[in-house]
Amino acid sequence: QQQVKQSPQSLIVQKGGISIINCAYENTAFDYFPWYQQFPGKGPALLIAIRPDVSEKKEGRFTISFNKSAKQFSLHIMDSQPGDSATYFCAASRSNQFYFGTGTSLTVIP
Amino acid sequence: KAGVTQTPRYLIKTRGQQVTLSCSPISGHRSVSWYQQTPGQGLQFLFEYFSETQRNKGNFPGRFSGRQFSNSRSEMNVSTLELGDSALYLCASGPTGTNQDTQYFGPGTRLTVL
């Protein structure tokens, strides 16, 4: 059973546009929600993370929106750039055990 | 500081064989987690070790096992390989092993089972 559901599976965005990736979870015991970025041939790297006591966190062009009641969270990439083209994974964790979404392949067209 | 290193980077085995993968965490990190990454399933948690003890275990058969040494280096073993074990195996280390630790991933070992 997939603990964290991620959508869409793939996304194509024009340069300068906004990329939005959504995730949903069921287990209310999760208390840490990171997003990872993975380039081909590399391991995932932490992009930004949020705790459930805040509804939004922004770091540069990347923003996480968190809706605790709906058990959903999303990643917004503002002013998307070709260099943002990568696979993005959301995750949820409790007790240092992480559950990942299935990933979103983002392509930013120049 | 050197990142997480994994060896070997690529491995080809045949069904029924066994394999051992190695992971060296970032210096000072005591928590090591292993994941299996496949195109259809994404990253699936295998197990986590902290101070040589397995602390968490995912939903994988007993053919998958691991251990951690006193220097925090970890090995993962898969016995009686099946075709479905073909995947990228990722190791991640964390500094404190507490919840909300940042997971630092290695580049992975690409295992192909023929």
Side-chain angles (χ1 to χ4, degrees), chain A residues 1-77:
Chain A
Q1 183 188 359
Q2 196 70 33
Q3 296 261 4
V4 179
K5 295 181 180 176
Q6 183 173 347
S7 63
Q9 187 175 350
S10 63
L11 185 60
I12 300 174
V13 173
Q14 291 275 2
K15 178 183 175 183
I18 302 173
S19 304
I20 302 174
I21 306 171
N22 301 299
C23 285
Y25 64 97
E26 284 299 323
N27 191 339
T28 55
F30 290 139
D31 58 5
Y32 182 59
F33 301 87
W35 284 88
Y36 285 83
Q37 180 188 56
Q38 186 177 28
F39 293 104
K42 303 282 188 182
L46 179 68
L47 195 59
I48 187 172
I50 198 167
R51 301 176 190 179
D53 53 348
V54 299
S55 60
E56 186 175 281
K57 183 174 181 180
K58 184 176 180 179
E59 288 184 3
R61 296 184 294 109
F62 301 92
T63 299
I64 299 179
S65 296
F66 188 84
N67 186 330
K68 189 173 182 178
S69 60
K71 292 185 283 187
Q72 295 175 346
F73 58 110
S74 60
L75 176 69
H76 292 64
I77 305 175

Side-chain angles (χ1 to χ4, degrees), chain B residues 22-48:
Chain B
S22 181
C23 171
S24 292
I26 292 171
S27 178
H29 285 194
R30 295 167 63 192
S31 170
V32 174
S33 299
W34 287 88
Y35 296 85
Q36 181 193 68
Q37 184 175 20
T38 56
Q41 297 294 318
L43 280 86
Q44 302 283 310
F45 174 76
L46 281 153
F47 27 67
E48 185 229 355

